[in-house]
Amino acid sequence: EEGRECDVDWHSVLQARIVTNATTSSAGTAASVVVPARRSPHAMVAVPSQPHRELSPEHDQESQGVDVASAGARQVVAAAKLAQATTLVSVHDFIIAASAMVSEPPSLPLAYRALVAAGSIGVGVACIAFMRRRFRPKPDDEPGLWSIFHTQVLSLNAQFLAALAYISPIPTAYDMTVSLGFGASASGFMIGSFYTLAVPLLCMVAWLTKPWSQTLCWKICLCSAAVMGAAQFGFMIVALAAHANKGERAMLGLWLLFSMRLLMGCASNVSMTITKIMSQKVTPHTQMVDFQVMYNSASVLGMALGPFLSSAVSVAVHASSPGARIGFPSGVIGLWWLSLVPMIWRFVPTDLHTCLSAKDRRDVGAEGAKAPAAGAETAASTECFKNEAARK
């Protein structure tokens, strides 16, 4: 079963084994050749080669009437006698040789793996540094601005991880479905099931956020991140188990993979939509353009790094089976999602009053800097009064 997944020339393996054993066998032992009926080691038999001799016309006419099945049976009997007399190809030696070739995937140099890991870490560090420079408040700023910054970070992470979770299985989804006995249609359905319920979920989010309740939305974001992380780990476990238990349970494994992807899509759609609305409510006007650019960039960056993450994790853990290649990257993304749970619990506020007050003061300060000095205080007080009345 494993041998059919890799390009192994079983004919050359057995030929080399035959030549090696033939040199150590007795001088009277006849040579043999390998006749592979199929690309499977069980279909290969050793048959004796017969020396060329002249046949009479009468014998030639008789040989033309011999049944093909009888000729094949005689070859099998001759092969059995030869195998009994000699030990040119032993099943035990063949299994050892085949297992050594299949179970040991080709190893990559350590320097190459270190380079891949360094590239992955470098891209993440560069994105974090850019975000800190654009949005991070000063150390002596008021707590409301820090709460705004944490809310923006949560929104960008949710969008980035949603795109990453959607794209990362694409390079290995086809191999996974083929190993279960299915084809490209099942692979496409497994990938696309992530956004199957996107429209009804967005309608549900619109209903939940009108009127806005920060406490309710905070709880939804917390639960969505936990469910998303659990679904990623569930997908990894199902992929590993489905590949190990192929056969009668292949259909069950495929449907479980579909279910995990569907659950991922539900959690990520709710999380990234609510966190974006929350961030837009507290982002000052002077940062709104930068925030929208960063939000769209997070989505594009997630789609770009998805296949790269899949390859990098497979190389790092030396994954050889389709289940491992599609499962382990999902586990890494699941860890990232679960790391958002303590971040939401600790830094995202359950009441936006502090954030909105800090936002109003930032907006009024920006407008007051443009206004004449004489009317700065009047403009500030008027703007604060309007914002307070609108919130009430």
Side-chain angles (χ1 to χ4, degrees):
E1 299 247 346
E2 293 290 339
R4 285 195 290 270
E5 295 179 6
C6 56
D7 190 11
V8 179
D9 191 355
W10 302 106
H11 187 278
S12 301
V13 173
L14 287 180
Q15 281 287 60
R17 181 65 180 164
I18 289 171
V19 172
T20 303
N21 287 335
T23 56
T24 59
S25 61
S26 60
T29 304
S32 65
V33 296
V34 175
V35 182
R38 298 163 48 192
R39 278 194 66 83
S40 172
H42 305 290
M44 300 181 184
V45 296
V47 297
S49 59
Q50 301 293 336
H52 177 73
R53 57 190 179 91
E54 296 292 336
L55 298 177
S56 60
E58 294 80 11
H59 191 277
D60 189 18
Q61 292 177 359
E62 292 177 0
S63 63
Q64 292 178 359
V66 176
D67 185 44
V68 176
S70 300
R74 286 199 299 272
Q75 286 186 348
V76 172
V77 172
K81 291 181 179 180
L82 181 63
Q84 187 177 7
T86 63
T87 57
L88 295 181
V89 181
S90 95
V91 176
H92 178 69
D93 292 342
F94 172 76
I95 291 176
I96 292 177
S99 300
M101 296 182 66
V102 173
S103 62
E104 296 180 4
S107 59
L108 293 174
L110 181 61
Y112 177 76
R113 277 187 256 175
L115 181 63
V116 171
S120 305
I121 297 173
V123 171
V125 170
C127 294
I128 294 174
F130 179 78
M131 184 171 60
R132 285 168 61 91
R133 181 167 181 172
R134 280 295 188 97
F135 298 100
R136 186 174 183 268
K138 297 178 181 179
D140 56 346
D141 282 339
E142 57 181 307
L145 294 178
W146 281 98
S147 298
I148 293 174
F149 173 70
H150 295 147
T151 306
Q152 292 169 339
V153 171
L154 171 64
S155 177
L156 296 177
N157 269 280
Q159 179 65 17
F160 172 76
L161 290 177
L164 197 69
Y166 173 68
I167 296 294
S168 62
I170 289 180
T172 52
Y174 179 73
D175 292 338
M176 184 65 204
T177 54
V178 168
S179 69
L180 296 178
F182 302 94
S185 299
S187 172
F189 185 59
M190 182 173 66
I191 295 170
S193 60
F194 192 91
Y195 286 118
T196 301
L197 300 178
V199 174
L201 284 172
L202 292 177
C203 295
M204 184 187 71
V205 169
W207 175 71
L208 290 173
T209 55
K210 293 180 181 179
W212 180 267
S213 173
Q214 176 62 17
T215 304
L216 176 62
C217 293
W218 181 86
K219 293 178 180 178
I220 292 175
C221 292
L222 191 70
C223 295
S224 298
V227 170
M228 188 65 181
Q232 292 285 347
F233 275 102
F235 185 83
M236 178 184 70
I237 294 172
V238 170
L240 295 174
H243 179 74
N245 299 284
K246 295 178 291 188
E248 296 180 355
R249 298 182 180 180
M251 180 62 71
L252 175 61
L254 188 65
W255 278 107
L256 287 176
L257 291 175
F258 290 162
S259 302
M260 291 296 104
R261 290 282 292 175
L262 194 65
L263 185 60
M264 291 180 204
C266 294
S268 64
N269 276 287
V270 172
S271 178
M272 67 181 183
T273 306
I274 290 182
T275 54
K276 183 180 181 182
I277 297 174
M278 190 187 304
S279 298
Q280 288 177 338
K281 283 181 175 295
V282 299
T283 300
H285 295 161
T286 55
Q287 293 182 354
M288 185 61 71
V289 175
D290 291 339
F291 173 73
Q292 295 296 335
V293 171
M294 282 294 296
Y295 188 84
N296 292 320
S297 300
S299 177
V300 174
L301 187 63
M303 290 188 288
L305 293 182
F308 179 77
L309 176 69
S310 178
S311 302
V313 174
S314 299
V315 171
V317 302
H318 216 205
S320 58
S321 64
R325 288 194 295 268
I326 198 174
F328 289 133
S330 179
V332 173
I333 299 174
L335 282 176
W336 201 333
W337 271 104
L338 290 178
S339 68
L340 295 183
V341 175
M343 174 186 169
I344 297 172
W345 184 275
R346 173 66 179 84
F347 297 108
V348 178
T350 57
D351 186 4
L352 293 183
H353 180 73
T354 304
C355 298
L356 292 174
S357 299
K359 170 185 177 295
D360 293 341
R361 282 188 288 271
R362 176 65 65 88
D363 290 338
V364 170
E367 293 294 332
K370 300 177 183 179
E377 294 182 1
T378 304
S381 59
T382 303
E383 185 69 20
C384 289
F385 177 80
K386 289 181 179 179
N387 290 331
E388 186 68 23
R391 281 199 301 275
K392 289 180 179 180

